[in-house]
């Protein structure tokens, strides 16, 4: 997942903003393409690790993530995050994010639908598609407002982002810079990312147990500690801003599965412990 993650579209970030904790961005990740990536479902239990500004007293929630597909039919990610932030004095924010996206294995086409609901407010919706055409990307939005625009062709979609992280890790690289578009926020946001990749963790090295470490599909795979920081691309271009909007850390297996998630929204940090992991059947390419 890291996915888990770029479209982990940080519902937590939206909830934080509603509590007056700053204008935080949505985050998220997707499964990688072009390789033996594992079709699976994962459930992550969210909890508060620390609140640097003491603005959040408690946090809880869950992320349910489904990943299916193959290199011939493309990859589908279904994501839902339900969370609750308590700022004290009876102020609680409930948020519910649902995201469904599809990306072809070559990273040329991307379709996405995102729905975000905060407390009792009407849901915010983003619906659109993006097609790579030579040195640029054509984006068409249906929601929140019909609009067409182009992006730099060097920008990658979420599944290709993870593909490149794994490729860089296998090549022994420790840093990777990418600009990523996933349709989050109002469908027009692009993030610059800096990925820091740690030394590979051998398959036989003990890990704190969770459902992924005991699964037969995972026992022979190595993994890497990864931290991805997301920067507001527009703010960087205008102001040279270098402070990340948020960062996420996790252990990434070579088949695209992520564990030991940590989401850092500057004012507070949320952990995501894997509570359930199920491997799904994957249709082989003809």
């Amino acid at each position: 997942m890291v996915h888990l993650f770029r479209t982990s579209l940080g519902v937590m970030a939206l909830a934080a903003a509603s509590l007056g904790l700053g204008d935080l961005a949505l985050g998220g990740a997707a499964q990688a393409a072009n390789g033996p990536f594992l079709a699976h479902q994962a459930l992550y239990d969210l909890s508060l690790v620390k609140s640097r500004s003491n603005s959040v007293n408690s946090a809880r929630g869950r992320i349910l993530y489904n990943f299916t597909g193959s290199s011939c039919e493309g990859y589908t990610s279904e994501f839902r995050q339900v969370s609750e932030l308590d700022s004290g004095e009876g102020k609680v924010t409930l948020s519910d994010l649902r995201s469904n996206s599809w990306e072809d294995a070559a990273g040329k086409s991307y379709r996405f639908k995102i729905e975000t609901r905060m407390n009792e407010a009407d849901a915010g919706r983003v619906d659109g598609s993006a097609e790579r055409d030579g040195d640029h990307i054509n984006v068409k939005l249906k929601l929140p407002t019909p609009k067409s625009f182009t992006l730099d062709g060097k920008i990658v979609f979420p599944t290709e982002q993870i593909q490149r992280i794994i490729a860089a890790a296998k090549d022994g690289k420790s840093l990777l810079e990418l600009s990523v578009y996933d349709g989050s926020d109002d469908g027009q946001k692009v993030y610059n990312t800096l990925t820091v990749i740690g030394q590979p963790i051998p398959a036989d090295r003990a890990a704190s147990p969770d459902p992924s470490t005991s699964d037969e599909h995972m026992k022979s795979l190595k993994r890497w500690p990864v931290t991805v920081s997301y920067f507001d691309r527009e703010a960087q271009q205008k102001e040279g801003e270098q402070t990340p909007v948020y960062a996420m850390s996790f252990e990434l297996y070579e088949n695209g599965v992520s564990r030991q998630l940590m989401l850092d929204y500057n004012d507070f940090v949320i952990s995501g412990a894997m509570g359930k992991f199920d491997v799904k059947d994957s249709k082989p390419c003809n």
Side-chain angles (χ1 to χ4, degrees), residues 61-216:
R62 282 186 167 182
I63 290 173
L64 179 63
Y65 177 75
N66 278 289
F67 170 74
T68 57
S70 66
S71 59
C72 51
E73 64 183 16
Y75 297 95
T76 297
S77 297
E78 296 176 320
F79 175 93
R80 185 177 184 186
Q81 179 176 332
V82 178
S83 54
E84 176 185 279
L85 287 183
D86 185 348
S87 63
E89 300 179 354
K91 190 168 185 179
V92 176
T93 300
L94 299 174
S95 55
D96 186 348
L97 170 78
R98 304 177 192 218
S99 170
N100 187 298
S101 65
W102 175 88
E103 184 176 337
D104 79 326
K108 294 182 178 180
S109 298
Y110 178 58
R111 299 193 299 264
F112 52 91
K113 291 184 178 181
I114 303 166
E115 179 179 313
T116 307
R117 188 181 300 275
M118 304 291 293
N119 291 331
E120 300 302 320
D122 292 339
R125 293 180 173 87
V126 180
D127 185 348
S129 63
E131 297 287 337
R132 194 176 300 278
D133 183 9
D135 61 355
H136 64 278
I137 296 170
N138 297 317
V139 179
K140 292 184 178 180
L141 295 180
K142 298 178 182 178
L143 296 172
T145 302
K147 185 173 185 178
S148 297
F149 56 93
T150 61
L151 297 173
D152 189 325
K154 294 180 181 179
I155 292 169
V156 302
F157 303 135
T159 55
E160 185 178 355
Q161 177 193 14
I162 303 311
Q163 177 190 15
R164 293 199 185 189
I165 291 175
I166 293 175
K170 289 182 175 181
D171 286 344
K173 296 178 180 178
S174 58
L175 295 175
L176 179 65
E177 292 184 85
L178 293 170
S179 293
V180 180
Y181 175 77
D182 68 357
S184 61
D185 290 344
D186 60 357
Q188 301 181 61
K189 180 78 74 173
V190 174
Y191 287 95
N192 288 340
T193 69
L194 175 64
T195 301
V196 179
I197 306 168
Q199 291 297 309
I201 303 171
D204 58 358
R205 183 179 298 181
S208 55
D210 67 27
S212 71
T213 61
S214 60
D215 189 276
E216 292 298 326

Side-chain angles (χ1 to χ4, degrees), residues 214-262:
S214 60
D215 189 276
E216 292 298 326
H217 296 82
M218 312 296 292
K219 289 184 177 179
S220 63
L221 301 180
K222 62 183 174 183
R223 60 194 190 277
W224 294 268
V226 172
T227 298
V228 185
S229 298
Y230 287 84
F231 301 83
D232 187 321
R233 191 168 191 251
E234 187 173 324
Q236 281 189 294
Q237 291 174 338
K238 290 182 177 179
E239 307 166 10
E241 176 65 45
Q242 295 297 314
T243 302
V245 178
Y246 72 94
M248 66 177 105
S249 301
F250 48 93
E251 289 186 358
L252 178 62
Y253 283 95
E254 55 190 311
N255 66 353
V257 174
S258 298
R259 67 182 297 270
Q260 292 201 322
L261 173 67
M262 198 73 68

